[in-house]
Amino acid sequence: MRPVSQAFLLCTLALAACGSSNPARFLPEVATSSSQQRLRVSTIELRDIVLPAYGSAADILSEGPDGALKALKGAEWADNSAEALTADLARRLDLGGSASVAAEPWPLSEPADVRLEVRIDRIVAAQDGTFRLSGQFAVASPNLHMREFLERFAITVPLADQTAGGIAAAYGRALDDLSGRILRRLAR
């Protein structure tokens, strides 16, 4: 290969690597809570949510006909970290309940009344037109402000469509459902 052709090829490859790929970025839909549930505790520390490896990827995934999870082309989550999801759930709990909720590390000198841990084991935009979120949440109460418990959850919400926007909307509704379940359990 001639030197000029090699230089041209290298420049072409470098430009292709830079690419004009600028995927659309989506956030889970955020609902505004109009009412607050009265809780038995006044402060809650939400530990970082544990996600399966595929759930912490930047790609927005959809289940294909063969059951494989495939990335939607040109679409990513705006922030795919467990910390971002934790902050989002903490906000939903804080707005929906009477307790002050903050993600770890707890920002106040006085410890929180309870510590909430959420572990998600399945999060999928399913082929059957539903969005599924399942796992468990646990409440620890080091100072015995309330009885400790561990509870499993399985949430299914309808998907309007298998687009990134449809998945983000369903994801937000599933998080609203999860926060509602946690709040109802903390109100008992």
Side-chain angles (χ1 to χ4, degrees):
M1 196 179 279
R2 296 186 308 198
V4 173
S5 296
Q6 288 176 331
F8 179 75
L9 180 61
L10 289 174
C11 286
T12 303
L13 289 173
L15 287 172
C18 293
S20 61
S21 173
N22 188 14
R25 299 192 182 268
F26 292 83
L27 290 166
E29 186 177 275
V30 177
T32 55
S33 181
S34 58
S35 64
Q36 280 197 336
Q37 184 133 16
R38 190 90 186 112
L39 304 180
R40 294 182 0 191
V41 294
S42 59
T43 55
I44 302 168
E45 175 187 11
L46 178 58
R47 306 295 296 258
D48 283 341
I49 293 175
V50 177
L51 293 167
Y54 68 86
S56 22
D59 297 323
I60 297 177
L61 303 175
S62 178
E63 184 181 50
D66 60 354
L69 297 178
K70 298 185 179 174
L72 296 181
K73 191 171 180 90
E76 293 182 353
W77 292 114
D79 192 341
N80 59 312
S81 67
E83 292 83 10
L85 182 56
T86 303
D88 186 358
L89 185 59
R91 179 183 177 280
R92 291 168 196 261
L93 292 168
D94 192 57
L95 293 174
S98 60
S100 296
V101 182
E104 73 171 317
W106 184 247
L108 304 177
S109 59
E110 184 72 27
D113 293 339
V114 295
R115 197 172 50 241
L116 172 63
E117 292 200 32
V118 178
R119 296 174 188 223
I120 295 173
D121 55 33
R122 188 171 205 72
I123 182 168
V124 63
Q127 179 65 28
D128 67 359
T130 62
F131 185 87
R132 297 185 190 137
L133 180 69
S134 65
Q136 65 182 13
F137 61 90
V139 170
S141 183
N143 295 327
L144 304 175
H145 287 281
M146 70 179 303
R147 186 181 194 114
E148 297 180 325
F149 63 89
L150 178 69
E151 191 168 304
R152 292 212 58 79
F153 62 89
I155 297 166
T156 302
V157 296
L159 269 171
D161 53 49
Q162 291 278 352
T163 64
I167 292 170
Y171 193 173
R173 287 192 310 278
L175 288 176
D176 282 341
D177 189 325
L178 176 58
S179 67
R181 289 175 190 223
I182 293 169
L183 291 170
R184 283 189 298 278
R185 186 62 171 88
L186 289 169
R188 286 195 235 161

